[in-house]
Amino acid sequence: MLKTRLLPHIWFSWLFLILGAFFGLLYAVQLLGYGVDLLRPDLARALHLSLMLYGFAPLMLSVLPFALFEKEGVLKEAALNDLERYFFVWYIFLAFLIFSLLSGNTRGLPFYDFPYALNGILALAGLFYIAAIIRTVKVYTHKPLWVKVSLFLVIVSPFALLLLMNPDYGQVEKMLQGPHGDNTLGMSFALLAIYYLAIKQASDTITFSTRWHFLWMVPLGFYALSVFYRSFIGNLSYNAEWFLQYLTLLYLPILYRWWKDARLDVKRHKTLLISILAFLFVDVEGNILFIPQLRELFHRNDLVVGHAHIAVGIGVLFLALAIIEPFFRLSRGQRYYLAAMLIGMGFVLSISGISQAGFISVDIETVWYLRALFGILFFGGLFMGYTEELVSFLKQMTPIRWYHTAGFLSDGIGGLLLLFFGGWLYAMLGAAYHPGYQQIVFGFVTGVGMLHLAGIFMRNNASQMAMATVLLRTITAAGFFALYEAGVLGWIALAVTITDMTFVLVYLTIIYRRETK
């Protein structure tokens, strides 16, 4: 039941991962002086970071409790309905995020570069998620520990989000300067809770239970104190930050204990192991570089270049992949390939950071070329291993699926290209470009393309989706034709009119009658 409802969301979320990787590649190429006119480099970087952090990975991580509910046979249809509402609201957040960043509305933060107001949409998504969890946990007469952990996380998360990301009294603005051991401790604890659930999901041991609880209770207690102190009293001293940072080392033995107690093994749980090893590496690396003398020697500031790429790109991404493996399995070659590319990129960026500190001398342009190379290889790896899915998709093609596929390629992919690179494309064509209203138009075009994408996956509603696109295309064609005749827009308006009316007529005169028989 979960797989049937989840697969369309996995594929749709995968598009955001591809987009995030693409903008990272674009930014890497722009550092080398190529493709600068496509999009402002700072906006390309902001889109890369935001889509990687708030796209595919968190959406897939949120599946974890429901995979466990299904494993225990308590998952209900009503909970899945709320889970899908959660996904839909999160997609709305991503649409607002993309348009906000394209308009240059950024905060200049390393990991939270979108307007604070958008956290309200995330909080709304969280309410649907809470509803989905509560609908299910009511089944238990005695709630197991993992259920209590899930319930605690989802209830606290929306409120913590609004508090910690607030520009006035939150903590994220303070990450731009000085040490941030308390933030590291909090983020690590959140991941630790998710690792516990992921290990339980992967375990075949029914009686799997946790031990050594003090290893997570002590860090959690001090993190709560640090949040209260920083939010309502003042900044933490360096020694306090140092102490909080080093509390993350307590997470290392507890992960080992859980792995052994769950009786996981390397052969069957490679994806999860890759994620855990990345987490352990980043934990140890971060603590080593938090020592003032070593940080001064190697990096000379409080941020570690490459550190976040390993944590997010390998640790969090492969954790998300491990969670959805029962529904969406990567091939072994694709899994290792993506891991190797990300490790290579993290290594290159780490070398860059050491070089910037003056500890070694490296040609920075060579480092940038290597970063771009690994970016190209990683981006290509996202398309690897889907030959069987493509063949299966083509075998199931019907006239209406051809219609939706063509519409998605023309308006979905074409609309995104116009949305992100409209100014550059219009300049190539010698046409006038007005970034304000034309970006809105391109967003509308992309929206039509997304309706076509929904028509591909929602087979039972393919005809309804097609009729919706026919109505939108008719209105769009009429509007652009009027603008062309009035001389407001040139030949591009006429091309849009012809394209839209072609889709409309093909559906109404050829496909519609077949679908309604």
Side-chain angles (χ1 to χ4, degrees):
M1 179 170 62
L2 179 59
K3 181 176 181 178
T4 303
R5 300 285 290 272
L6 185 60
L7 270 177
H9 294 288
I10 293 177
W11 283 107
F12 192 68
S13 301
W14 196 261
L15 293 177
F16 291 110
L17 179 61
I18 291 172
L19 273 178
F22 171 76
F23 286 113
L25 173 60
L26 175 62
Y27 180 66
V29 171
Q30 287 176 325
L31 288 176
L32 295 168
Y34 305 107
V36 175
D37 295 334
L38 288 174
L39 188 70
R40 271 174 40 193
D42 62 315
L43 298 184
R45 181 179 181 274
L47 284 162
H48 165 61
L49 288 172
S50 297
L51 288 171
M52 294 300 286
L53 288 169
Y54 297 94
F56 175 81
L59 285 168
M60 296 304 100
L61 292 179
S62 61
V63 172
L64 183 50
F66 299 93
L68 285 166
F69 289 141
E70 184 170 62
K71 186 177 180 180
E72 296 197 353
V74 299
L75 187 59
K76 302 297 182 183
E77 188 77 21
L80 286 178
N81 292 337
D82 280 326
L83 180 63
E84 282 204 297
R85 294 184 181 103
Y86 157 80
F87 277 115
F88 292 144
V89 174
W90 197 288
Y91 299 148
I92 293 171
F93 158 74
L94 290 172
F96 273 75
L97 179 148
I98 290 172
F99 275 90
S100 296
L101 296 182
L102 280 175
S103 67
N105 189 1
T106 65
R107 296 171 67 184
L109 297 172
F111 307 117
Y112 311 93
D113 209 14
F114 53 87
Y116 171 73
L118 298 189
N119 287 287
I121 303 177
L122 286 181
L124 176 61
L127 294 179
F128 285 114
Y129 194 77
I130 291 172
I133 292 285
I134 291 177
R135 285 182 189 276
T136 309
V137 301
K138 288 191 298 184
V139 177
Y140 294 95
T141 54
H142 174 70
K143 295 181 179 62
L145 176 63
W146 75 265
V147 172
K148 294 177 181 178
V149 170
S150 301
L151 196 58
F152 172 78
L153 287 176
V154 299
I155 291 175
V156 168
S157 293
F159 303 103
L161 188 74
L162 295 174
L163 171 66
L164 298 178
M165 300 185 74
N166 186 279
D168 297 321
Y169 50 82
Q171 299 187 51
V172 295
E173 303 280 355
K174 299 177 176 65
M175 292 181 69
L176 289 175
Q177 58 185 1
H180 45 271
D182 56 331
N183 285 289
T184 304
L185 182 63
M187 289 186 288
S188 299
F189 176 78
L191 280 175
L192 186 73
I194 297 172
Y195 274 119
Y196 160 68
L197 297 176
I199 290 171
K200 182 169 181 62
Q201 181 201 21
S203 175
D204 296 326
T205 305
I206 299 176
T207 58
F208 167 64
S209 59
T210 57
R211 294 187 282 169
W212 301 2
H213 295 289
F214 72 94
L215 291 175
W216 63 263
M217 288 180 173
V218 172
L220 177 60
F222 278 101
Y223 175 66
L225 289 174
S226 73
V227 170
F228 177 83
Y229 188 91
R230 189 192 281 275
S231 299
F232 302 107
I233 299 176
N235 291 330
L236 297 169
S237 67
Y238 184 86
N239 286 336
E241 295 273 11
W242 179 90
F243 174 74
L244 294 169
Q245 172 75 30
Y246 270 77
L247 285 176
T248 62
L249 290 173
L250 295 177
Y251 299 148
L252 275 61
I254 199 172
L255 281 172
Y256 170 79
R257 184 71 272 157
W258 290 347
W259 180 277
K260 298 298 290 185
D261 287 347
R263 298 180 185 176
L264 304 186
D265 62 74
V266 175
K267 289 184 179 180
R268 293 191 301 123
H269 306 104
K270 294 183 181 71
T271 307
L272 183 57
L273 180 62
I274 290 171
S275 173
I276 290 175
L277 290 176
F279 178 85
L280 298 180
F281 173 82
V282 169
D283 193 333
V284 173
E285 180 194 26
N287 279 288
I288 289 174
L289 291 176
F290 208 87
I291 299 173
Q293 293 79 7
L294 288 178
R295 192 179 69 254
E296 175 67 22
L297 178 65
F298 283 98
H299 207 267
R300 298 183 184 174
N301 64 40
D302 294 306
L303 298 175
V304 184
V305 177
H307 190 79
H309 284 75
I310 298 172
V312 177
I314 303 177
V316 176
L317 176 59
F318 275 79
L319 177 57
L321 293 175
I323 290 168
I324 63 172
E325 268 191 323
F327 321 105
F328 182 82
R329 180 175 288 274
L330 295 178
S331 67
R332 182 170 64 178
Q334 186 179 15
R335 185 169 57 232
Y336 287 152
Y337 175 89
L338 292 176
M341 293 307 101
L342 287 165
I343 290 170
M345 190 181 301
F347 175 76
V348 167
L349 290 170
S350 297
I351 292 296
S352 173
I354 295 172
S355 174
Q356 289 173 29
F359 184 68
I360 60 174
S361 178
V362 176
D363 181 16
I364 195 63
E365 190 168 322
T366 301
V367 171
W368 287 348
Y369 270 108
L370 288 173
R371 173 182 175 173
L373 174 62
F374 281 117
I376 292 170
L377 295 174
F378 175 74
F379 183 70
L382 296 176
F383 297 93
M384 285 177 55
Y386 298 120
T387 307
E388 292 183 9
E389 285 83 355
L390 179 60
V391 171
S392 175
F393 178 80
L394 292 175
K395 286 181 178 179
Q396 299 176 43
M397 292 301 282
T398 59
I400 196 167
R401 291 196 92 189
W402 279 114
Y403 170 79
H404 281 306
T405 301
F408 171 66
L409 293 175
S410 67
D411 286 52
I413 303 300
L416 285 173
L417 291 174
L418 287 169
L419 185 63
F420 296 128
F421 313 120
W424 181 75
L425 291 170
Y426 268 58
M428 285 187 62
L429 296 172
Y433 177 70
H434 307 285
Y437 82 89
Q438 283 188 300
Q439 281 185 312
I440 298 175
V441 172
F442 298 152
F444 183 80
V445 171
T446 306
V448 174
M450 293 303 107
L451 283 178
H452 282 294
L453 183 63
I456 294 173
F457 289 108
M458 299 171 65
R459 299 182 188 180
N460 295 334
N461 303 106
S463 297
Q464 292 89 328
M465 291 296 175
M467 186 56 69
T469 63
V470 164
L471 293 173
L472 289 172
R473 286 183 182 278
T474 301
I475 295 170
T476 303
F480 272 92
F481 179 73
L483 292 173
Y484 172 74
E485 286 294 313
V488 176
L489 295 177
W491 63 269
I492 291 179
L494 182 61
V496 171
T497 302
I498 294 172
T499 301
D500 279 336
M501 286 311 301
T502 300
F503 274 95
V504 168
L505 293 174
V506 165
Y507 180 76
L508 292 179
T509 60
I510 300 174
I511 301 174
Y512 175 73
R513 184 53 56 190
R514 296 184 181 182
E515 293 297 316
T516 54
K517 282 184 179 180

